Amino acid sequence: MYKHLITLLFLTVTSVLFVNAQITLPPSGDNQKCEVVQHIGLVRAAVMWGSPDVHGANGEDRTGKIWGELVPYGLSNLDFGMSDEKNLMPWRAGANENTVFAVSHDVMIEGKPLPAGKYGLHMIPGKDEWVIIFSKNHTAWGSYFYSQSEDALRVTVKPQAHAYTEWLTYEFDDRMPNGCTVRMRWEKLAVPFKVSVPNVNEYYLAKIRQELQNEAGFDYRGFLAASQFCAQNKVALEEGLAWAEAAISRKYIGERNFQTLSNKAQILTLMGRNDEAAAIMKDAIKEPSAGMQDIHMYARSLQASKKNQEALEIFKLNNQRFPEEYMTLFGLARGYSAVGDYKNALKYANLALPKASNAQQKTQMEGAIAKLKENKDFN
């Protein structure tokens, strides 16, 4: 009996060891694992897949035999697994384990919402259209255990003819600040689906709010950058205005300078509060931190808004602070030219010409002088 117990114990231990003896081997069929990642603003999107080749494990050329044969059209009976569709299953969209699509934030796929998370990516191929499936189960092997009840999303797309691709490949293409196209390529076919992030700025704003509660919130430049983001993207202007004011006057950290004041003026302008913005800019250009370039560009922005007389006064101020400089002399030429005073414009253009520091400036000024001699505005 003792021998029987020893034998039973040996068999039990051997069985446990066998079940748990996981060793690392090359991927089945030499279909190497691949991963591609793309950021859409703060959104991280990734595809992980096993990548088969057209020529197969034994080197046989399967060109023309991939679609509709190796990868059948429609659902396939894999004769194994636990599908709730009577073993009729979609294609695993790669080789071996699940092909996985992952996104760090909520996105839209072909205009339909997909929450943040990891998904098993499956496809139902067709001659004229494909169904892309995002399954909540991303840990299963291939499509053998696919269940439609676990679908998070299905979308229908059109396949495209494409240049030959030996290895099954996923790529992110048509990249924009708020979206891109995921494209699966293999043999002479491509299957794309669009990923979009319509609220990409909201994700940035959420991150900014969080960061302003940490180190960035102890420096006026953090609030300045946050406010500038709102201005540049024309979003959350009320919040941007509060951040602009914090950059100027928040206790212990606020700093009144050209940058912080002009930023607040820009926010106010975007909000339609033009008189308040103009008053702040009058203070901003008087700040010691206002440089020659800062003042010049403000005057140019007034010209762009057809406020030529106001722009001329700013060009004059700039020349008073930085006399005999090419930029301020050129600014006066621009300012007088815009209000039709070509005599004074020509005077300052001629004064600016010998101060040109490079060929581009010289050519630009010579062109301005030629136009002014014909009583023409050169702006």
Side-chain angles (χ1 to χ4, degrees):
M1 181 168 178
Y2 179 75
K3 288 184 179 180
H4 288 304
L5 287 173
I6 293 295
T7 302
L8 180 61
L9 179 61
F10 173 78
L11 290 174
T12 302
V13 170
T14 302
S15 176
V16 170
L17 287 174
F18 178 77
V19 169
N20 290 287
Q22 301 295 327
I23 60 174
T24 301
L25 297 172
S28 175
D30 243 1
N31 300 317
Q32 301 293 330
K33 291 184 178 181
C34 301
E35 181 174 358
V36 62
V37 175
Q38 177 64 46
H39 288 264
I40 309 167
L42 290 178
V43 177
R44 184 185 189 274
V47 185
M48 290 75 76
W49 75 100
S51 179
D53 58 333
V54 172
H55 280 75
N58 298 317
E60 69 276 18
D61 187 355
R62 300 182 290 186
T63 303
K65 300 177 182 179
I66 299 292
W67 309 116
E69 294 186 34
L70 179 66
V71 180
Y73 293 130
L75 297 170
S76 303
N77 188 339
L78 301 182
D79 198 29
F80 180 78
M82 300 176 63
S83 169
D84 58 4
E85 299 295 323
K86 297 181 180 179
N87 287 332
L88 293 177
M89 306 173 194
W91 179 45
R92 71 188 76 182
N96 301 335
E97 300 100 319
N98 260 197
T99 296
V100 177
F101 178 77
V103 280
S104 60
H105 298 67
D106 296 353
V107 298
M108 304 289 281
I109 306 291
E110 291 290 324
K112 296 181 179 180
L114 182 72
K118 288 185 176 181
Y119 299 93
L121 185 64
H122 305 273
M123 299 184 181
I124 304 176
K127 290 184 178 180
D128 300 315
E129 62 182 25
W130 286 47
V131 177
I132 313 295
I133 302 169
F134 299 84
S135 171
K136 296 173 186 176
N137 182 354
H138 72 277
T139 60
W141 183 278
S143 296
Y144 293 113
F145 304 94
Y146 167 78
S147 172
Q148 187 172 347
S149 65
E150 295 177 320
D151 283 3
L153 178 66
R154 286 189 174 205
V155 296
T156 301
V157 299
K158 297 288 185 182
Q160 303 168 339
H162 199 278
Y164 180 85
T165 304
E166 173 69 18
W167 300 94
L168 190 152
T169 300
Y170 284 86
E171 64 183 2
F172 290 92
D173 204 356
D174 306 324
R175 287 173 283 180
M176 302 290 288
N178 62 347
C180 64
T181 298
V182 178
R183 185 172 283 106
M184 185 278 292
R185 294 189 286 109
W186 197 25
E187 201 237 16
K188 297 180 181 179
L189 194 75
V191 180
F193 60 89
K194 294 180 180 178
V195 181
S196 59
V197 188
N199 56 340
V200 64
N201 286 330
E202 287 299 322
Y203 291 144
Y204 274 112
L205 285 168
K207 187 68 173 176
I208 287 169
R209 294 181 191 113
Q210 181 186 61
E211 289 171 342
L212 287 176
Q213 296 177 20
N214 291 287
E215 287 87 348
F218 291 87
D219 191 311
Y220 81 90
R221 285 167 292 196
F223 288 98
L224 175 61
S227 181
Q228 287 172 332
F229 172 83
C230 295
Q232 290 162 5
N233 294 281
K234 299 180 176 60
V235 295
L237 294 179
E238 287 287 353
E239 195 166 20
L241 180 59
W243 288 335
E245 185 55 48
I248 297 168
S249 59
R250 189 161 192 158
K251 192 173 182 179
Y252 302 125
I253 66 165
E255 186 165 317
R256 186 182 180 88
N257 58 38
F258 178 82
Q259 264 195 316
T260 57
L261 290 170
S262 61
N263 171 68
K264 182 178 179 181
Q266 185 181 11
I267 291 278
L268 288 167
T269 299
L270 291 170
M271 298 174 73
R273 295 160 63 174
N274 297 320
D275 291 343
E276 292 175 70
I280 289 176
M281 281 308 301
K282 285 182 180 179
D283 291 337
I285 60 176
K286 295 174 185 176
E287 286 291 319
S289 58
M292 177 174 59
Q293 178 84 9
D294 296 324
I295 300 172
H296 181 84
M297 294 310 298
Y298 174 54
R300 291 289 287 150
S301 71
L302 290 172
Q303 283 188 319
S305 300
K306 307 300 182 185
K307 299 177 180 179
N308 292 322
Q309 192 59 51
E310 292 179 45
L312 176 57
E313 297 307 313
I314 303 302
F315 283 130
K316 288 178 180 179
L317 174 65
N318 207 17
N319 183 249
Q320 290 170 9
R321 287 186 61 175
F322 305 97
E324 305 306 314
E325 293 283 347
Y326 170 83
M327 180 175 285
T328 64
L329 293 170
F330 187 21
L332 284 172
R334 282 194 180 280
Y336 280 114
S337 178
V339 298
D341 186 346
Y342 301 120
K343 180 179 178 181
N344 270 318
L346 183 59
K347 169 188 169 182
Y348 286 106
N350 281 319
L351 289 172
L353 181 59
K355 295 184 179 294
S357 61
N358 55 55
Q360 183 180 358
Q361 288 182 349
K362 184 177 179 181
T363 300
Q364 185 180 34
M365 194 52 60
E366 287 173 343
I369 289 171
K371 283 193 174 183
L372 290 169
K373 285 180 177 179
E374 297 176 4
N375 289 326
K376 292 181 180 178
D377 180 23
F378 72 89
N379 287 287

